[in-house]
Amino acid sequence: MFDIVNMTVMVLLCITIIYPFLNVLAKSFSSDVAIAIGKVLLYPVEFTMSNYHKVIFSSSFYYSLRNTVIVVVVGTVFSLAIVLAAGYALSRRMLGHKWLFLIVLFTMFFSGGMIPLYLQVRALKMYNTLWALILPGSFSVYNMILARNFFLQLPDGVLESGAIDGCNELMLFSKIAIPMSKPIIASLTLMIMVSYWNIFMPGVLYMDQPRLYPLQVYVRQVVFASQASLDSSVLGESAISELFTFSYEGIKSAVLILATLPIACVYPFLQKYFVKGLNMGAIKG
């Protein structure tokens, strides 16, 4: 009975997740008339690629996609380097490492808040630059803890043998610890990429030029513009004329699919490391 109830609940949950996605996907390939009269449910009606054509050849979409790709690539490399280095350092028995770990952990629960961070970004001349989207969120205490716990589970004999052979800490980290840490690196890479790809609030707070908006801010502007009867102050007159010449729902659906597709394509290649890395990095404290 438990298995039946469990499977029924999971099937219903999957339907609630899959159905809206299929509906959006179908609308993105359907004509304006079919969407307007409510014919589109799970499959395209009057198949067309015009919605994607309008979005892809929109300069606003190009700039937002370019900005997000730059932020994801640079931010992932930068954040991964910081998190792995900090996690390895705090996993070693150096003087005061427990107190240093508690100090870092304190920032996970208490922060200065939005206004001090905004003032700091302005003071560092990062306002209206992509660095404002990369640097403030580059160090995640949660990711650092996962990396630290993973390094704590590495065999002590391997690191000790490297030290006996003359390796310093930097060589132990780069030559021994990192090659043995592929599962946690893959897990952290996926999580960091997703967080940078979905970055939204920093784009709203630190950007006032549409050409610097990340992709998620652009998606929000597209949805808001269609709901606000195409207020030209949201995206600008040029973006409105590029996108919303004919329909709203088809364009919105195409933008949502294009914003989701890249991460959906990356995830299967890192999935086999994801669960293993999280489990190994979450056991030992």
Side-chain angles (χ1 to χ4, degrees), residues 78-242:
F78 192 74
S79 179
L80 196 62
I82 295 176
V83 167
L84 291 175
Y88 176 79
L90 292 176
S91 69
R92 306 294 288 168
R93 295 181 178 86
M94 60 181 181
L95 181 63
H97 71 281
K98 291 185 178 180
W99 285 103
L100 183 59
F101 177 74
L102 291 177
I103 292 173
V104 175
L105 187 64
F106 180 83
T107 65
M108 188 176 181
F109 303 100
F110 302 95
S111 65
M114 182 184 299
I115 295 177
L117 182 59
Y118 175 82
L119 295 176
Q120 187 176 22
V121 169
R122 293 295 295 258
L124 294 175
K125 309 297 183 183
M126 292 193 298
Y127 190 78
N128 273 333
T129 67
L130 295 183
W131 289 111
L133 306 179
I134 298 173
L135 292 182
S138 59
F139 182 74
S140 169
V141 178
Y142 175 78
N143 292 341
M144 185 275 296
I145 293 174
L146 291 179
R148 171 183 175 271
N149 292 345
F150 187 92
F151 287 129
L152 285 172
Q153 298 179 63
L154 294 180
D156 293 334
V158 177
L159 297 176
E160 291 174 357
S161 62
I164 293 174
D165 291 337
C167 294
N168 55 28
E169 289 293 344
L170 181 60
M171 295 178 66
L172 290 175
F173 173 65
S174 59
K175 302 292 185 180
I176 298 178
I178 291 298
M180 297 176 63
S181 305
K182 290 181 180 179
I184 193 63
I185 292 175
S187 301
L188 293 178
T189 299
L190 182 59
M191 290 191 293
I192 294 171
M193 286 179 61
V194 171
S195 65
Y196 275 120
W197 184 266
N198 292 329
I199 196 166
F200 175 75
M201 280 304 299
V204 175
L205 293 175
Y206 309 136
M207 303 294 175
D208 59 12
Q209 299 180 11
R211 287 194 173 190
L212 295 175
Y213 285 159
L215 185 59
Q216 301 306 322
V217 176
Y218 171 78
V219 172
R220 182 257 182 189
Q221 300 293 68
V222 169
V223 174
F224 181 79
S226 64
Q227 293 176 346
S229 300
L230 307 184
D231 181 4
S232 61
S233 63
V234 176
L235 281 172
E237 294 182 359
S238 60
I240 292 295
S241 61
E242 285 178 328

Side-chain angles (χ1 to χ4, degrees), residues 51-63:
N51 294 324
Y52 287 96
H53 184 272
K54 296 172 189 174
V55 174
I56 292 174
F57 289 96
S58 165
S59 60
S60 300
F61 175 79
Y62 165 76
Y63 287 123

Side-chain angles (χ1 to χ4, degrees), residues 24 27-29 51-53 55 61 249-259:
V24 171
K27 286 182 178 179
S28 68
F29 288 107
N51 294 324
Y52 287 96
H53 184 272
V55 174
F61 175 79
E249 290 298 324
I251 293 295
K252 286 196 302 182
S253 301
V255 170
L256 292 173
I257 294 298
L258 290 174

